[in-house]
């Protein structure tokens, strides 16, 4: 079953064409990595997929929802499409648990007791079962990012989008966040992740996509993609990322 179907997506900011016809299908349970140079359109593409940017052309179906500009339909779509950014955006005056409970209570109308139980379950999934009552400033960057992932999981999304979620972290904290994503992959979560971690993409993503100048320049099963890149542009990119 296809969880993401993006067909010929186009997006410009004023005169700047950022996405020039991007098509991508992601199957349920698949993990797809999106790589490419700064400015190639990776974040813009992810933002289009959950309606944070309007598209100028093409069409999107994600988690069973057709993309819409209607606020009510967009809200329904976003319940099923989690997105995690480089910045964690946790509310500093709420505990980790309260941050996670917020959307289930306010958006889904869940009872507080049920949301609390769900928050505990999600904190355990990211290895923070004992930090329910910690405020964000008592947590490391890696722990805060794991709380942000738990917050997404609490909505029980059908697909998760990650945009360079480890870029703000020191190397020793990056590993613990990547381990959480890897465990979600093993549990069958459908994920699309923009990353600079080539080793991680190679190991965890079923498929990797190289974006260049607003188009998919090359893609393939990760094993093949990294060992045998076909285009000179991808070969040069992979060389520059390694060393
Ligand atoms: N809201 C916006 N208004 C105008 N230009 C934008 C906007 N958002 C992105 N852009 C431009 O679109 C282009 C693609 O940006 P995008 O953030 O998608 O790239 P990226 O591949 O995610 O890069 P990076 O690796 O640096 O995160 C860039 O030239 C950027 O300056
Ligand atoms: Mg980006």
């Amino acid at each position: 079953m296809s969880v993401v179907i993006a067909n010929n997506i186009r997006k410009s900011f004023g005169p700047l064409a950022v996405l020039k016809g991007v098509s991508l299908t992601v199957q349920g349970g698949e993990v797809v990595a999106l790589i490419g140079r700064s400015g190639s359109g990776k974040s813009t593409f992810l933002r289009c997929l959950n309606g944070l940017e309007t598209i100028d052309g093409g069409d999107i179906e994600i988690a069973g929802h057709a993309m819409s500009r209607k606020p009510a339909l967009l809200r329904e779509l976003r319940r099923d499409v989690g997105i995690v950014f480089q910045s964690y955006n946790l509310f500093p005056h709420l505990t980790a648990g309260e941050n996670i409970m917020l959307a289930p209570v306010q958006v889904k109308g869940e009872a507080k007791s049920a949301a609390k139980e769900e928050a505990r379950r999600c904190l355990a999934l990211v290895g923070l079962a004992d930090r329910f009552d910690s405020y964000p400033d008592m947590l490391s960057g890696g722990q805060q990012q794991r709380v942000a992932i738990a917050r997404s999981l609490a909505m029980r999304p059908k697909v998760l989008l990650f945009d360079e979620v480890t870029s703000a972290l020191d190397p020793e904290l990056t590993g613990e966040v990547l381990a959480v994503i890897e465990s979600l992959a093993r549990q069958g979560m459908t994920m699309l992740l923009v990353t600079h971690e080539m080793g991680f993409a190679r190991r965890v993503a079923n498929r990797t996509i190289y974006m260049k100048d607003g188009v998919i320049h090359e893609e393939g099963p990760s094993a093949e993609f990294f060992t045998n890149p076909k285009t000179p542009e991808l070969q040069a990119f992979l060389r520059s990322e390694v060393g």
Side-chain angles (χ1 to χ4, degrees):
M1 194 190 65
S2 302
V3 176
V4 180
I5 306 170
N7 184 30
N8 202 21
I9 304 308
R10 295 178 177 277
K11 174 70 183 177
S12 297
F13 293 107
L16 181 69
V18 174
L19 300 178
K20 303 173 186 168
V22 177
S23 298
L24 171 68
T25 301
V26 182
Q27 303 300 324
E30 205 181 7
V31 179
V32 176
L34 209 52
I35 66 172
R37 289 194 202 283
S38 182
S40 57
K42 306 178 299 294
S43 296
T44 302
F45 182 58
L46 279 200
R47 292 169 60 82
C48 288
L49 288 180
N50 86 334
L52 286 170
E53 302 284 358
T54 57
I55 55 177
D56 302 328
D59 38 65
I60 294 171
E61 192 188 310
I62 186 164
H65 304 270
M67 186 53 66
S68 171
R69 293 188 186 205
K70 296 202 179 92
L73 294 179
L74 206 46
R75 270 196 303 275
E76 290 193 3
L77 179 149
R78 290 205 186 119
R79 284 184 183 197
D80 290 332
V81 183
I83 188 162
V84 183
F85 300 100
Q86 182 178 328
S87 55
Y88 335 117
N89 302 318
L90 299 175
F91 287 108
H93 62 290
L94 299 178
T95 64
E98 289 165 347
N99 268 284
I100 297 168
M101 289 168 62
L102 207 56
V105 170
Q106 294 195 344
V107 179
K108 281 191 168 174
E110 272 183 26
K112 275 203 168 159
S113 55
K116 194 164 187 172
E117 208 168 297
E118 180 69 0
R120 290 198 185 282
R121 185 187 73 88
C122 293
L123 274 173
L125 284 176
V126 301
L128 292 172
D130 55 343
R131 303 314 290 267
F132 188 96
D133 294 316
S134 299
Y135 285 89
D137 67 3
M138 297 158 64
L139 299 171
S140 72
Q143 289 170 333
Q144 289 183 55
Q145 188 58 290
R146 282 148 68 198
V147 172
I149 294 171
R151 178 180 53 186
S152 279
L153 291 173
M155 293 296 281
R156 298 203 177 240
K158 297 198 172 95
V159 53
L160 274 178
L161 312 174
F162 290 93
D163 193 357
E164 301 202 29
V165 295
T166 61
S167 294
L169 300 174
D170 295 334
E172 69 268 25
L173 299 180
T174 294
E176 65 187 39
V177 173
L178 295 181
V180 165
I181 297 173
E182 196 166 351
S183 84
L184 293 174
R186 277 197 303 272
Q187 292 164 52
M189 178 64 80
T190 309
M191 295 186 281
L192 182 55
L193 35 108
V194 175
T195 185
H196 281 298
E197 303 283 339
M198 296 301 137
F200 179 74
R202 184 177 188 154
R203 195 172 72 247
V204 176
N206 307 102
R207 194 148 52 98
T208 300
I209 287 174
Y210 173 57
M211 277 187 69
K212 185 176 184 298
D213 301 332
V215 297
I216 293 178
H217 189 79
E218 183 167 341
E219 68 175 302
S222 300
E224 170 74 11
F225 180 96
F226 286 100
T227 47
N228 188 19
K230 295 190 174 53
T231 61
E233 293 80 10
L234 176 58
Q235 289 164 3
F237 176 76
L238 291 177
R239 272 198 305 274
S240 70
E241 287 293 307
V242 170

